[in-house]
Amino acid sequence: MTFTVLRPMVPVTAVTAFLLFLLLCVFPETGERLLGYSAREERIHAYVQQLEDDQGKIALQGVVTGRTLTDYGYSCRVRVFREAGGFSFSVVLPEMPRVGSLMTFRGKVKWPSAPMNPGQFDEITYARSQGIAFTLRSAKAELLKELPGPVFSFFLCSRDEAATQIRKLWDQPYSGILCAMLLGEKSFLPEEEKELFQQGGISHILAISGLHLSMVAEWIYTALEKMIHKKGARWGAAILLWLYAFWTGGSVSTLRAALMFTLKMMAPEAGRQYDFASAFCFAGLILLLLDPMRIRQAGFYMSFAALLGMQVGEALALRLTFLPYVIRKKIAASLGVTLFSLPLTLWFFYEASPASFLLNLWVIPSMSLLLPCAVLGTVLSALLPGGGDGFGEIVRWILQSYELGSKAIGSLQGIPLLDLRGKPSVFSMICLAAGILLLMLLLRKKNKILKGLVLLLFLVAAWPVDRCCISFLYVGQGDCTVIEWQGVTVVMDAGPSYDTVIRPFLMQEGIRSIDLLVLSHPDEDHMEGALLLAEDDAFRVKCLLISSDEAQDTLRRQELVELVLSQGGKVLYGEGGAERERTGLSEEDSLNDTSLVMQWELGGELILFPGDISAEAERALISSDVLTGSIRRGFSGSEISLEHRSLQTVDLLKTAHHGSASSTSEAFLEVIRPETAVISCGINNAYGHPAPVTLERLEEAGTHIYCTAESGMIRRTYSPFSGRWTLKEFLKQ
């Protein structure tokens, strides 16, 4: 790859991509309005409202354009061509429909929702990037018309037949992997296999590879060239590649490969020389102009980054003159792919391993053997029973080696520099991008200053930062607060939504171990996620703090204690708060009133966590000591200290019992006088939290009120440099 000449297509594509990134990623509301997305969604909303009956259901006719097998049935993509300017929606059906069938659907509309926490799945962004307007729930379907025309029917059904043949020749998980590789069909891909390959840093093979697609197209061109003239061979190879791209669903990688290969084939016809940089940028430009929302898709970035990485890796490896040429040639592709894809993998998936470089040394070249063997095995087995068994065994052996390699990479979990976790900051990504650009510039000529700058930018990007913040997560009708302070992580309760909220948040923050898990009381809205957290191999709970009140010693809490002890953690029993023996509460009192009450002294402020105690327990608490935690940096790192202190004025109150009317009494507020209060509750919850009377009490006390149901995650951040606290609401950032 040469970088000596700047092609006109390069700046045009760069400017276009930058403008789209600004419009759709940095200023999404402005961009969606300017590009017409907002007007289109308003038009669809108005149309759907007209169709709703008294039960809130709608009836629509549409054509099934795709379907994927899920745990709940077949998730189908349906296209409505005329109404509201045309749009697509998704629906889950119990039986697999034929793609291309015209059907009537009746059900309730669920519009995509915005994430309420960092790391949470963004339904709106995903729906827009996929062109899905809404999901039709509890839908009933009726077939109106079968597939139109024998040619169209064969084109669509042959993909299903190919998947069936693959599943006959190979058992799971290999049949699911091959369906994803060859057909772009991920319906049969086991989730655990997907996670295993992602762990090994080779998840890029679980899609149709643009690189190997181009390689196959070259083989087709070579074969056709021997049978017909060059011009016919070029056109034939390009047409076959485009047919395959659309047959397999038209993913970003296949369309990019088809565009670039077509340019390569047609360049001689136009009397031009093929240029990789121009073709690369042209493909990106066309894909973005056809669908600007691709600027938000991980697959778009990963596809282009992997290809560019292979080209740069080849040039970079040649500079490693201390290695033999044969070794440099072998490591080139893997080196480039790892260099370019690692930061993107961390950004989108929060976890990556540089050791995947070693596995890709085998995976990338072996794919050139695996793919033709898989195709030949499938075709021969369809023509002759047992005809593809030999090729099938070769494919099975290669895939098994991928599994073993991924497991080996996974065994490195927790080893510094070999197991990376956490979403990089925007500043880190800018430094990485600048470093890679300078690295590409170094390929033109050697310069000691540029080498120093590249090294400095990479060091700055990778430099660890100890956060000092308190994050009140939105977990629906429940509680979960994560304290990150000078390298120490404390989780205060962990209620519902573990898989969708708590785990992604911890992964994004780069957290591996929980230094202290505090359970106020064993109600499910405080404890459900704590059990799942203790079971999760991705994290280690070092210490569990629970109440010593016997009333809390439930079977579920005993299970949590055993899980923590089984992984080498320890269990502490707190004696502070509204416990019966300290406050005189009777046995008849609610389990909520046994909540372990804690306050934290951090950054010169006091933050009170009263659990779910009621006004009666609050009165008893006024004259009691409260368990107080603090985090201080020592010679061996930051440490947590716990002691009992009398209740006093606090700076922030984590409002008791989700803002219930039976808590946060006037007498209690007069004693603690919080400057800020955070209420954790679910949107439109059945309990009416927060209660209007509670909000009135807080307002009369002069307290600033924030609610996770309105703000999403609420984060208080402390700056050690300025000594000041700031507060940010996730939905208002």
Side-chain angles (χ1 to χ4, degrees):
M1 179 181 180
T2 60
F3 302 97
T4 53
V5 180
L6 186 64
R7 305 292 190 250
M9 190 56 66
V10 175
V12 170
T13 304
V15 170
T16 303
F18 179 71
L19 289 176
L20 286 176
F21 184 84
L22 282 179
L23 288 174
L24 293 175
C25 299
V26 181
F27 306 106
E29 292 183 4
T30 302
E32 288 162 10
R33 187 172 62 254
L34 289 175
L35 295 176
Y37 289 102
S38 298
R40 177 176 174 272
E41 289 175 0
E42 290 172 2
R43 186 169 63 249
I44 296 171
H45 270 266
Y47 173 70
V48 168
Q49 287 177 353
Q50 293 175 2
L51 297 178
E52 286 184 349
D53 58 18
D54 296 338
Q55 297 178 340
K57 295 183 177 181
I58 67 169
L60 280 172
Q61 285 187 10
V63 176
V64 178
T65 58
R67 77 281 181 279
T68 302
L69 180 64
T70 68
D71 294 336
Y72 310 101
Y74 290 91
S75 178
C76 305
R77 181 189 179 101
V78 182
R79 181 69 182 175
V80 178
F81 288 97
R82 296 180 180 178
E83 290 79 1
F87 60 90
S88 296
F89 65 91
S90 65
V91 60
V92 176
L93 300 176
E95 297 181 359
M96 183 178 71
R98 284 183 175 272
V99 175
S101 299
L102 177 64
M103 306 180 76
T104 296
F105 303 89
R106 187 173 186 274
K108 288 188 175 182
V109 172
K110 180 190 179 297
W111 300 101
S113 58
M116 303 287 282
N117 306 272
Q120 189 175 351
F121 180 65
D122 189 343
E123 292 182 11
I124 292 180
T125 297
Y126 177 78
R128 286 172 177 166
S129 65
Q130 298 297 313
I132 300 293
F134 57 83
T135 299
L136 206 60
R137 285 185 152 184
S138 305
K140 293 183 179 180
E142 180 183 353
L143 179 64
L144 297 178
K145 190 177 181 181
E146 288 288 353
L147 293 168
V151 177
F152 185 60
S153 176
F154 173 78
F155 188 77
L156 295 174
C157 293
S158 57
R159 189 179 177 211
D160 291 338
E161 293 300 325
T164 301
Q165 197 61 44
I166 289 173
R167 295 172 71 190
K168 285 181 180 178
L169 184 57
W170 293 278
D171 53 4
Q172 283 284 34
Y174 308 122
S175 60
I177 296 171
L178 291 170
C179 283
M181 283 184 181
L182 301 176
L183 310 177
E185 176 62 74
K186 298 185 179 181
S187 301
F188 312 109
L189 180 64
E191 188 64 30
E192 55 271 17
E193 202 72 9
K194 181 180 177 182
E195 292 176 359
L196 177 64
F197 279 36
Q198 187 171 317
Q199 175 182 276
I202 58 171
S203 59
H204 57 85
I205 70 171
L206 298 178
I208 298 173
S209 167
L211 169 70
H212 294 93
L213 191 61
S214 301
M215 188 184 302
V216 172
E218 290 281 0
W219 293 342
I220 294 173
Y221 168 69
T222 303
L224 289 175
E225 190 180 18
K226 293 179 180 180
M227 294 183 287
I228 57 178
H229 53 81
K230 284 189 176 182
K231 183 175 182 179
R234 294 190 189 106
W235 280 99
I239 291 171
L240 287 174
L241 184 57
W242 278 105
L243 286 174
Y244 179 76
F246 286 113
W247 183 66
T248 56
S251 66
V252 168
S253 59
T254 56
L255 293 177
R256 187 259 305 152
L259 280 166
M260 294 185 69
F261 183 77
T262 301
L263 288 175
K264 186 174 184 178
M265 292 293 101
M266 297 301 111
E269 299 296 323
R272 303 290 295 272
Q273 185 178 1
Y274 176 75
D275 176 67
F276 171 82
S278 296
F280 179 87
C281 291
F282 177 78
L285 180 64
I286 294 300
L287 290 176
L288 287 176
L289 291 177
L290 290 174
D291 184 4
M293 278 295 174
R294 286 196 174 103
I295 200 71
R296 292 180 177 177
Q297 295 179 16
F300 176 81
Y301 292 100
M302 297 296 285
S303 175
F304 280 85
L307 181 60
L308 184 60
M310 295 189 75
Q311 297 293 320
V312 174
E314 185 176 344
L316 184 62
L318 293 176
R319 299 281 183 178
L320 305 177
T321 53
F322 58 90
L323 293 174
Y325 176 78
V326 175
I327 295 178
R328 281 182 279 162
K329 194 71 176 175
K330 293 290 185 183
I331 69 171
S334 182
L335 177 66
V337 168
T338 303
L339 178 65
F340 276 70
S341 64
L342 195 69
L344 291 173
T345 303
L346 281 173
W347 179 267
F348 289 110
F349 307 111
Y350 318 140
E351 194 168 30
S353 174
S356 63
F357 160 73
L358 299 174
L359 183 55
N360 275 302
L361 286 175
W362 159 244
V363 170
I364 293 175
S366 65
M367 285 283 285
S368 301
L369 173 63
L370 184 148
L371 290 176
C373 285
V375 171
L376 288 171
T378 303
V379 173
L380 289 176
S381 64
L383 297 175
L384 181 67
D389 290 352
F391 290 110
E393 283 302 313
I394 296 174
V395 169
R396 188 175 288 106
W397 178 82
I398 295 174
L399 291 177
Q400 286 174 347
S401 70
Y402 293 173
E403 288 181 321
L404 290 173
S406 296
K407 290 176 181 177
I409 298 296
S411 67
L412 302 175
Q413 192 175 69
I415 299 178
L417 301 179
L418 293 181
D419 181 27
L420 306 179
R421 180 179 294 180
K423 184 176 182 177
S425 65
V426 175
F427 177 72
S428 294
M429 292 298 286
I430 292 173
C431 289
L432 281 170
I436 290 173
L437 285 174
L438 288 178
L439 188 64
M440 292 170 66
L441 191 61
L442 273 173
L443 298 177
R444 294 179 60 186
K445 65 175 184 176
K446 296 181 180 180
N447 187 299
K448 292 183 178 180
I449 297 177
L450 283 181
K451 287 182 180 178
L453 280 174
V454 169
L455 181 61
L456 178 63
L457 286 168
F458 284 166
L459 286 174
V460 170
W463 194 263
V465 178
D466 288 338
R467 298 183 180 88
C468 294
C469 61
I470 306 172
S471 304
F472 301 89
L473 302 184
Y474 175 78
V475 292
Q477 188 65 15
D479 269 14
C480 184
T481 304
V482 180
I483 300 173
E484 300 170 75
W485 202 268
Q486 297 174 348
V488 170
T489 301
V490 178
V491 176
M492 300 289 296
D493 287 328
S497 307
Y498 176 76
D499 290 326
T500 57
V501 174
I502 301 173
R503 190 182 195 278
F505 175 80
L506 296 176
M507 293 291 290
Q508 179 187 277
E509 296 295 287
I511 294 171
R512 299 181 183 278
S513 61
I514 311 300
D515 297 279
L516 182 65
L517 172 59
V518 182
L519 181 67
S520 64
H521 63 294
D523 279 351
E524 286 299 299
D525 61 337
H526 292 250
M527 183 182 176
E528 180 184 334
L531 282 164
L532 296 172
L533 175 61
E535 291 176 347
D536 198 331
D537 293 335
F539 308 99
R540 179 181 172 231
V541 179
K542 293 182 178 179
C543 184
L544 171 66
L545 175 60
I546 54 179
S547 171
S548 60
D549 195 307
E550 294 180 358
Q552 290 199 20
D553 194 21
T554 63
L555 290 175
R556 293 279 282 171
R557 199 185 77 163
Q558 290 174 17
E559 183 183 349
L560 176 62
V561 169
E562 291 171 2
L563 283 169
V564 173
L565 292 175
S566 67
Q567 56 182 247
K570 60 182 180 179
V571 179
L572 301 178
Y573 293 87
E575 298 180 353
E579 298 178 54
R580 290 183 175 87
E581 63 268 28
R582 298 180 59 85
T583 64
L585 292 173
S586 66
E587 288 291 335
E588 288 74 23
D589 287 311
S590 167
L591 186 63
N592 289 337
D593 283 335
T594 69
S595 294
L596 176 64
V597 179
M598 273 198 74
Q599 63 181 3
W600 285 91
E601 184 181 20
L602 301 168
E605 288 195 354
L606 277 176
I607 303 100
L608 181 63
F609 293 84
D612 277 359
I613 63 173
S614 65
E616 183 179 353
E618 289 173 354
R619 285 194 295 271
L621 186 65
I622 291 173
S623 57
S624 304
D625 291 340
V626 179
L627 187 62
T628 305
S630 59
I631 302 172
R632 292 181 174 85
R633 193 184 293 276
F635 291 106
S636 59
S638 299
E639 297 179 349
I640 300 173
S641 63
L642 301 172
E643 59 181 328
H644 287 92
R645 295 185 192 175
S646 60
L647 190 66
Q648 53 189 294
T649 301
V650 301
D651 298 280
L652 188 146
L653 169 67
K654 171 62 182 62
T655 309
H657 203 186
H658 320 292
S660 168
S662 61
S663 304
T664 319
S665 62
E666 293 178 359
F668 190 57
L669 290 174
E670 286 179 6
V671 174
I672 63 173
R673 297 184 180 184
E675 180 182 335
T676 305
V678 173
I679 302 172
S680 179
C681 63
I683 298 172
N684 299 324
N685 62 83
Y687 306 96
H689 296 158
V693 65
T694 302
L695 297 176
E696 289 177 11
R697 292 175 196 150
L698 289 168
E699 289 173 357
E700 290 175 0
T703 304
H704 300 289
I705 307 169
Y706 298 90
C707 182
T708 58
E710 298 174 354
S711 306
M713 184 201 73
I714 298 166
R715 170 171 281 184
R716 289 265 290 172
T717 304
Y718 175 74
S719 171
F721 302 104
S722 65
R724 294 180 179 180
W725 286 86
T726 56
L727 186 145
K728 290 185 178 180
E729 303 165 84
F730 181 73
L731 292 183
K732 298 181 181 179
Q733 290 183 24

